[in-house]
Amino acid sequence: MLKNLSQILPILTTFVLLFGQVSSFGNSESDSTTKNDTLAFPEKLPAKDTWEHIISAPGYALNFPFWVTHKLIEKSIYFVDEKKIVPKIRRILVSQDGTRVIMPTFIERVGAGVRVRKTEYLGNKSTILTGGNYGSDHRHGLHLHLLEVPLYQKLHLNFTSDYENLVEERYYGTGSQTKSADISNYRNAQIISKAELCFGLLKKLTLNLSGSYNYHNVTEGKNEVDDDDGPPTNIKYPFQTIGKGFEPHINIASLSVGATLNRLKPEGHPIKGTAADVSYALFQEMGHGNYGFSKTTLDLKQYFHLFYDRTVMFRLNSNVIRPLRNENIPFFYLSEIGETGTVRGYKRGRFRDRDRLMGTIEYRYPIWSPSWRVIEMVVFSDIGQVAHNIFTDLEAENFFFGYGFGLRMYTELGRVLNFEVGFSDERIRVYFALN
Amino acid sequence: MMTDNWKYQKLITMSIGYILKRHFSPMYVIARLDRAIQRIVVRKIDEKSRLLLWITRSSRVMTSLSIFFIIMIPCLCSFSFSWEPYTPPAPIPNDRRTFPEPQSVKVNVWQNAYSRQMTQTTTRAFDFSRWVRAIGGNPRQALNVNAYDEVDSSSWFEHRNTAQPFSQEDIRRGPRTIDGPDTSGNWVIFKVKSEGMAPGFWIKDAQGNRFIIKPEIKGYPEVGTSAENITTLLFYAAGYHTPENYLSQVRLNRIKIKSGVKLIDERDVKRLMTQKDLEAIFDRVHVREDGTVRVTASRFIKGKPVGSFSFSGTRKDDPNDIVPHQHRRELRGLYVICSWLNHHDLNSGNFFESYITKNGQSYIGHYFLDFSSSLGASLFGAQPLVRGYVPLINPLYTFIVNPIKNWFHVPRWESNNPITYPAVGRFNNHIFKPDKFKINYPLAAFSLMTDRDAYWAAKLVMSFTDTQIQAVVKEGCYTDPKTDSILANILIERRDIIGRFWYNRVCPLERFRYDEKQSKLCFTDMGIKGNLYTKSESKYQYKTKHNGKEVAKSMTFSDNSCLDIPPPKPSKEDINEIEVVIQTARSKGNFSKPMNVFIQSDNSQAFRVVGITR
């Protein structure tokens, strides 16, 4: 039957083509005379000729799934707009005076969540941020930040407290020669509470003095990697030999002094200016005194506005960590390459050592600007190294190199969405962050 | 947008014609296919399966023929192997005939925007017939054109300035029938739009006329309201239907609220409007030094609102609406008008249909509304850089083209698009390219626009004289007189850019007259008429055919607008036809795409021009 149909179909097609054409070309004049003469309304003209329909038939078939999808989206848009769902959600998320905002967030280490931001809470510039995140394997975090609480004239207070249960942290050993397969996991439940006094020395320069209390409970992890790393990994570092710091209930206090320079313009979406952060911090374990170290941090960012919303950013970052007396440094306090904001393209915690030196160059350009820059493309390259002592142990062949591209979306609040793909000689890693 | 690359088309059609005539007559093709298939099949099938062989062979031949015709029919259709006299296209019936009042149709603006940007764009990409037509250089032409490649007046369009040039008074009056809202009495608000950035009111004046008023926003005087007034007048004079828009100044204490008027507040709650709400809205409007507020007052369109029209398909419940909108020339050509006036905000909310009664007939009239985002202006000052140059949302460009292209490339709209003048906004002509204009969301009619459609619309644009444009700009009522001359000059220059561009895409000759006694075919060169070119730099090339046979070889002449075409001797054919194929060139440029002029006589009457094709 089907075979017969396949034989008849071409014949029919030919006839339709031939006679369809003839009729459609031939009837125009005679039709028009009757249309003019009669009071009846004429028939609507076809948008396409018969041969056009036949030629387009395969295209219609190919387009059908897209068409259905588009129609569903159209219906959804209609529903959302007619039911005023967006304003309703907006009313829930943003207060009437605009000072309270509820935002969805996504942070790679702790998963998805919500954050509540309330401005003008304890003063004009003060902000209170609170929220929680939850992710796979019960990783979660809770945050409370009180920012820019005015105290006296140019003096203000920042108070932050973060609880995070990080269930799948990675340890690959110490130094820059570790192998990607030599991995073990650990779990770190931590509370970091910090109070910081800030004094506005100059318009853009702030001096900071802060004290913090850090609690860590480091235990065994799942000891498996459930991302795309492939087969089960070698456990080169059993938990017992991970290093100093693998123990429950570590209480550390710290005291820090520093200075912050912020000359970025505009602040939330800089295209030019300088941002610098220098700090020196002392960390000491409370009670036992096993751990004690100092940490010096330098972070310098320089933005250059090249031309027409094209911006290039250079970043230099360095950490120097030294033990105090004969005390130890917990391994999770060591400088890292692989965490977000370091050399992109490597796994989290891929390289650890006391010191770190790294640099970044980023080029940003707009790809969608309906009225102002909303979506930007970023192309970046990172280079960095961890070393026992960056002043004596830096070696050219030990530098790690990463590069990639990404998309960033901005609103009046600043950057709200970050999507980056980093490439390194070990792997490709995707970064995604929301709010 | 489809473009007619006539040289390319000519090369292809000549090649195909030669091959068809020499080697591919249908019988010859069938015989060849049959032999080829027989050779292949006979090798594989033994002698016992003759029936199967026959079936297979027949089906193969038919399949081959189907494919052959599918590919060749568009070409065959454009070819005529035997001469036939020119027959003018069927006239489109009058679409202003009475029919029962239709139901109002509600179109969701966002759904429509998505449909235009995504659904329709994807569907068009998979429309292979368009590809075939594009390859063959034979784009689908508008359906509502007459023998002279013109459109007749309809419920969509009326010949105004092109038919009889408007006087200065007429063009400044435009669609207005009264002097504007009566400012001597109170304006009573009977409906309000308080949400959004730009407030608006529905008011009734002391005379009982109803208007929608849009006040100027605080900090942005004149820009949007002036642009709206000027663009309305130009749209109307061009031939499209617009509301009666007036610029009016009113004191805020003249505006009162009718009892029972409700508004939707910030909490999205519908409640009664109070004086406090009105004051809150007034806080956002621009108050002039004399204490008045300037508003655009748009008079209610007569008739009953029945929804918004689409730029594709037809309205099912309107029996007058028989031409698919994407194939209406006035809608396709609107692209050129919009590019001239930088009117990019063509969302479905700005297309309006009203069931009106005129001259004893009740039908649907089609109107264009809201021109405040035109001429480089918006209600909030100058237009953003991208407007008119980039569609609002285009995922293909945003996520694929721009990341690659914008790497170090700076688009012209970004690098060379400053604010021209505070009250004018961002309206330039040095980076203006008539075929690169972009509206916020694509329209099917615009994507199908051909050179003929664009040329037709360019004639509308070119019909405006310098003095007409200067007169219209005065209706913007700019405080700074310098603004008038700046804006008028930009409009005049853009008009000429459009004229030069689209007139060069076709042979821009019009108004053919044949004088049999003097044996002359005279015409009007629109390029010369529009002062774009001089007579001395224009030359023409033509050849003539008598009943399909070439009787005069190609001849070139210049500095003249009449050809010597002697009438042929009477023939045995019912219709005696002279076909003149004519081309235009400017200075040392190439000759344009040819156009054909058909002069016919039925042997009893004098020869006369019966139609043209481009």
Side-chain angles (χ1 to χ4, degrees), chain B residues 17-36:
Chain B
Y18 178 80
I19 295 164
L20 282 172
K21 282 176 182 171
R22 292 278 174 155
H23 303 288
F24 285 91
S25 72
M27 291 312 295
Y28 182 67
V29 168
I30 291 168
R32 278 188 68 177
L33 279 171
D34 190 63
R35 275 207 300 278

Side-chain angles (χ1 to χ4, degrees), chain A residues 3 6-7 9-11 13-15 17-18 21 25 28-29 32 35-36 38-49 51-60 62-63 66-67 69-71 73-75 77-78 81-82 84 87-88 91 94-96 306-310 363 365-372 375 377 379 407, chain B residues 52 55 59 62-63 65-66 69-70 73-74 77 87 90-93 97-99 106 108-111 114-115 118-119 122-123 126-130 132-133 140 143 264 266-268 314-316 318-324 326-327 384 386-387 391-394 397-399 402-404 406-411 413-416:
Chain A
K3 204 170 180 179
S6 68
Q7 288 155 8
L9 202 62
I11 301 166
T13 310
T14 312
F15 272 85
L17 277 170
L18 286 173
Q21 281 308 298
F25 277 87
S28 55
E29 199 177 5
S32 67
K35 277 167 195 167
N36 281 334
T38 177
L39 282 173
F41 285 100
E43 283 181 13
K44 291 183 189 285
L45 299 181
K48 282 181 186 294
D49 290 336
W51 69 267
E52 288 179 303
H53 280 299
I54 292 169
I55 284 180
S56 302
Y60 295 157
L62 285 172
N63 184 43
F66 298 107
W67 184 83
T69 312
H70 285 315
K71 283 292 167 191
I73 295 171
E74 273 182 39
K75 293 287 176 199
I77 290 170
Y78 178 83
D81 194 45
E82 292 295 315
K84 297 188 175 174
K88 280 176 185 167
R91 272 208 312 282
V94 183
S95 64
Q96 198 171 345
L306 293 184
F307 50 89
Y308 305 112
D309 290 343
R310 270 73 175 165
Y363 174 64
Y365 56 100
I367 57 170
W368 189 53
S369 333
S371 55
W372 50 281
I375 302 180
M377 186 86 183
V379 183
L407 287 175
Chain B
L52 184 64
I55 293 167
S59 64
M62 294 316 292
T63 310
L65 275 175
S66 305
F69 279 114
I70 284 168
I73 272 178
C77 292
T87 47
I92 299 298
R97 293 164 61 188
T98 299
F99 72 97
K106 193 179 178 188
N108 183 284
V109 174
W110 294 109
Q111 184 190 12
Y114 182 87
S115 171
M118 301 301 294
T119 317
T122 317
T123 306
F126 283 100
D127 183 353
F128 295 159
S129 66
R130 288 190 75 203
V132 170
R133 280 187 176 279
R140 177 87 187 217
L143 295 176
I264 299 168
E266 303 85 10
R267 306 291 301 167
D268 203 26
T314 53
R315 187 172 170 138
K316 284 177 186 168
D318 180 0
N320 282 320
D321 188 18
I322 63 162
V323 181
Q326 70 270 33
H327 297 318
V386 296
R387 291 290 183 268
L392 201 57
I393 298 168
N394 187 336
Y397 268 79
T398 303
F399 296 111
N402 289 350
I404 299 165
N406 285 11
W407 168 242
F408 271 104
H409 166 78
V410 180
W413 52 263
E414 194 179 354
S415 61
N416 201 3

